[in-house]
């Protein structure tokens, strides 16, 4: 597959590259673009600034219909944009808004919901959070207990959500809630859009081992206490939420742009090894270091090719030439590969830095702003977020290989 001959694509890629090169000069010091950067007020303010700049140009949702704020560009141009943004570690595109609820509404939302929610996402104005997981419902999302009781034209919602990334800065949330006491499990779930400024919502930070201070906490727990949500904010029919959830999940797992970021990080690691001497010689001359760096380059290129294959599959799915089963298998395989590779990358970085890899970004001796100290601790989460590795393997076994469900 060769994307370059697509007319105008090389020029578009250069345009995005030039834009991000300039804008990223305004990033807060030590910016890595990870959750800890985005969690702080300064980081989030920069994120909103870049989003508005992208929104003015119509670049947040390039492939969306013009009617909803997009530019109707091809998915390949969208990929070129994603890769450029990832390479420059640039914020500005809400993975939950533009990446999940937006495409879900485009596919299954009412016309009123599309007109109300899609343009502000495309303008980079409102930010979303994913209110799915609960203390006793993660992989088994059908066990969610947050209950929405119908009362006239509203639902009254009560319950608790957890691990909600970025919710402390978000404006809206898309939530999985239970709407029937008679039906069981997934047959009783509905999908609600909730204004996070509503009365009765409490958002608390959840610190993890990689967010050392609560102001760096990207995770939150959310308590919903008699929160009033209009019925018009329900996506799809009552008790038919599972279909919407599955639609969102496939968008969530495609994650095509991560390899652009890894390419950049590999170049930074190579530069570090060029400049740093050990026993009188640059690290880059050490056979073991060269071997590890070359292996990472191979893995990243393989991931990039697979990501493009997934994109091609999404395009064919859109044309009706590919089955959703094949697409689900590819997305799950790629999600698994990406999370494993992010760990190999972090461990390789730590091995090369040696004991210096344990220094936090605040230390002037920390190589690359303490990048691998953070990565080492946060990369394990990649195997859990967006569905754990075991769940991805179950999907591949059921959907791809036709093995029995257990
Ligand atoms: C970085 C990160 C960001 C996140 N962001 C969000 C967010 O924004 N919004 C949100 O709602 N949630 C979020 N989550 C939560 C995430 O979706 C859940 O952690 C995940 O679905 C797993 O659920 P759990 O933690 O309850 O683990 P469990 O489901 O309890 O799983 C525990 C272990 O059992 C295994 N297991 C469970 N069921 C099966 C099975 N059927 N077959 C084989 N093995 C199984 C799992 O693989 C895992 O190893 C985030 C998590 C992380 C790490």
């Amino acid at each position: 597959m060769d994307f370059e001959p697509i007319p105008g694509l090389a020029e578009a890629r250069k345009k995005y590259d030039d834009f991000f090169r300039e804008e990223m000069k305004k990033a807060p010091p030590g910016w890595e673009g990870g959750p800890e950067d985005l969690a702080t007020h300064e980081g989030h303010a920069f994120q909103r600034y870049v989003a508005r700049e992208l929104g003015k140009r119509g670049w947040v949702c390039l492939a969306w219909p013009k009617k909803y704020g997009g530019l109707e560009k091809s998915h390949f141009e969208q990929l070129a944009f994603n890769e450029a943004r990832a390479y420059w570690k640039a914020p500005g595109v809400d993975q939950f808004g533009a990446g999940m609820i937006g495409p879900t509404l485009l596919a299954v939302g009412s016309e009123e919901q599309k007109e109300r929610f899609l343009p502000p996402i495309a303008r980079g104005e409102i930010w979303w959070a994913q209110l799915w997981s609960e203390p006793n419902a993660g992989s088994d999302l059908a066990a969610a207990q947050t209950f929405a009781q119908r009362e006239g034209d509203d639902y009254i919602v009560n319950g608790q959500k957890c691990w909600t990334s970025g919710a402390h800065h978000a404006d809206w949330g898309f939530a999985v809630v239970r709407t029937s006491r008679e039906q069981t499990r997934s047959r009783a779930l509905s999908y609600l859009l909730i204004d996070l400024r509503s009365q009765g919502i409490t958002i608390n930070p959840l610190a993890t081992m990689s967010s050392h201070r609560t102001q760096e906490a990207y995770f939150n727990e959310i308590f919903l206490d008699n929160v009033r949500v209009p019925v018009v904010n329900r996506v799809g029919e009552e008790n038919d939420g599972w279909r919407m959830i599955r639609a969102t999940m496939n968008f969530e797992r495609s994650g095509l742009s991560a390899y652009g970021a890894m390419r950049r990080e590999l170049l930074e690691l190579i530069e570090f090894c060029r400049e740093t001497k050990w026993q009188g010689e640059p690290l880059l001359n050490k056979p073991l270091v060269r071997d590890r760096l070359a292996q990472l380059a191979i893995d990243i290129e393989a991931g990039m090719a697979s990501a493009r294959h997934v994109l091609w599959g999404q395009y064919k799915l859109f044309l009706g030439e590919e089955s959703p089963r094949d697409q689900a298998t590819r997305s799950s395989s790629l999600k698994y590969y990406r999370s494993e590779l992010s760990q190999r990358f972090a461990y390789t970085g730590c091995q090369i830095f040696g004991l210096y890899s344990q220094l936090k970004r605040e230390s002037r001796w920390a190589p690359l702003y303490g990048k691998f100290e953070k990565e080492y601790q946060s990369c394990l989460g990649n195997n859990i977020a967006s569905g754990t590795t075991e769940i991805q393997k179950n999907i591949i076994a059921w959907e791809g290989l036709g093995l029995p469900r257990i």
Side-chain angles (χ1 to χ4, degrees):
M1 228 183 308
D2 185 356
F3 291 102
E4 292 310 329
I6 294 173
L9 198 61
E11 292 78 11
R13 188 168 290 169
K14 182 174 178 321
K15 178 176 67 180
Y16 301 132
D17 228 36
D18 291 345
F19 171 84
F20 287 119
R21 183 182 299 107
E22 279 312 303
E23 288 301 325
M24 290 311 288
K25 290 177 185 162
K26 302 171 192 161
W31 180 268
E32 277 293 329
E36 288 83 8
D37 290 318
L38 297 171
T40 63
H41 289 297
E42 190 189 16
H44 186 69
F46 181 60
Q47 153 117 301
R48 291 228 180 205
Y49 161 76
V50 178
R52 282 193 302 275
E53 290 302 312
L54 294 175
K56 278 184 213 161
R57 292 162 176 79
W59 293 357
V60 175
C61 303
L62 280 165
W64 285 11
K66 289 186 179 154
K67 186 177 171 191
Y68 304 124
L71 292 179
E72 295 178 13
K73 297 286 183 189
S74 72
H75 283 69
F76 300 102
E77 183 157 340
Q78 178 74 64
L79 177 66
F81 172 83
N82 290 352
E83 285 176 9
R85 192 174 78 84
Y87 180 84
W88 290 102
K89 301 178 187 174
V93 176
D94 178 10
Q95 57 164 319
F96 298 109
M100 286 187 230
I101 189 61
T104 305
L105 289 178
L106 271 175
V108 294
S110 68
E111 191 50 40
E112 193 209 330
Q113 287 167 344
K114 289 179 193 171
E115 285 173 10
R116 181 174 170 205
F117 291 110
L118 296 181
I121 294 175
R123 290 195 296 269
E125 282 173 6
I126 60 168
W127 292 77
W128 287 80
Q130 181 186 29
L131 279 64
W132 287 17
S133 303
E134 297 182 5
N136 291 311
S139 304
D140 188 15
L141 191 57
Q145 290 303 314
T146 295
F147 200 85
Q149 177 71 48
R150 182 83 182 251
E151 199 181 280
D153 291 338
D154 293 331
Y155 287 105
I156 307 297
V157 186
N158 281 287
Q160 181 189 355
K161 297 288 175 183
C162 61
W163 314 124
T164 325
S165 306
H168 57 313
H169 291 309
D171 307 296
W172 281 78
F174 49 95
V176 172
V177 295
R178 189 159 293 282
T179 35
S180 165
R181 297 206 194 272
E182 288 78 43
Q183 305 280 0
T184 53
R185 294 189 48 83
S186 61
R187 285 180 289 277
L189 297 180
S190 299
Y191 205 87
L192 291 187
L193 308 179
I194 302 181
D195 182 344
L196 293 180
R197 312 269 187 264
S198 307
Q199 208 175 357
I201 293 184
T202 308
I203 301 177
N204 295 330
L206 280 179
T208 63
M209 66 179 179
S210 59
S211 57
H212 313 288
R213 298 170 301 176
T214 39
Q215 63 266 38
E216 285 179 355
Y218 187 58
F219 280 135
N220 301 273
E221 58 181 355
I222 303 187
F223 294 92
L224 299 114
D225 184 11
N226 288 324
V227 178
R228 198 167 273 275
V229 180
V231 171
V232 290
N233 288 7
R234 189 189 65 222
V235 185
E237 296 301 314
E238 192 169 85
N239 298 333
D240 191 27
W242 198 245
R243 213 160 47 89
M244 322 298 146
I245 293 162
R246 293 197 59 165
T248 307
M249 276 177 182
N250 279 337
F251 294 118
E252 183 179 16
R253 285 178 187 152
S254 49
L256 292 161
S257 56
Y259 299 99
M262 289 194 199
R263 269 183 175 170
R264 169 85 183 275
E265 285 162 5
L266 181 62
L267 291 180
E268 287 172 354
L269 188 55
I270 290 172
E271 202 44 43
F272 172 84
C273 294
R274 195 189 311 283
E275 289 168 356
T276 308
K277 288 191 173 165
W278 186 63
Q279 293 180 337
E281 263 196 276
L283 279 173
L284 218 48
N285 291 356
K286 306 284 171 197
L288 192 58
V289 172
R290 296 163 70 89
D291 178 272
R292 292 288 161 85
L293 294 174
Q295 185 62 51
L296 281 178
I298 293 166
D299 291 351
I300 293 168
E301 287 311 306
M304 188 69 98
S306 305
R308 288 176 168 173
H309 192 199
V310 167
L311 180 83
W312 187 244
Q314 280 177 351
Y315 180 64
K316 290 209 307 190
L317 184 68
F318 176 72
L319 299 176
E321 294 172 5
E322 163 142 312
S323 81
R325 280 180 154 233
D326 290 341
Q327 189 55 20
T329 308
R330 287 210 192 101
S331 299
S332 289
S333 308
L334 192 61
K335 196 272 164 178
Y336 167 67
Y337 180 83
R338 198 171 60 243
S339 49
E340 295 284 310
L341 176 55
S342 74
Q343 287 168 19
R344 285 201 296 280
F345 202 143
Y347 300 158
T348 302
C350 286
Q351 284 168 348
I352 291 176
F353 286 1
L355 289 175
Y356 286 90
S357 67
Q358 298 177 23
L359 295 174
K360 296 190 198 313
R361 69 199 293 185
E362 291 80 17
S363 165
R364 70 190 173 104
W365 300 107
L368 299 184
Y369 285 107
K371 177 177 173 47
F372 288 108
E373 184 270 337
K374 260 189 311 172
E375 289 283 320
Y376 184 85
Q377 296 185 63
S378 60
C379 68
L380 290 176
N382 297 341
N383 270 354
I384 303 170
S386 316
T388 66
T389 291
E390 289 74 24
I391 297 300
Q392 305 308 321
K393 287 184 180 172
N394 281 347
I395 293 171
I396 294 165
W398 297 334
E399 306 269 351
L401 305 177
L403 304 185
R405 281 176 181 256
I406 48 168

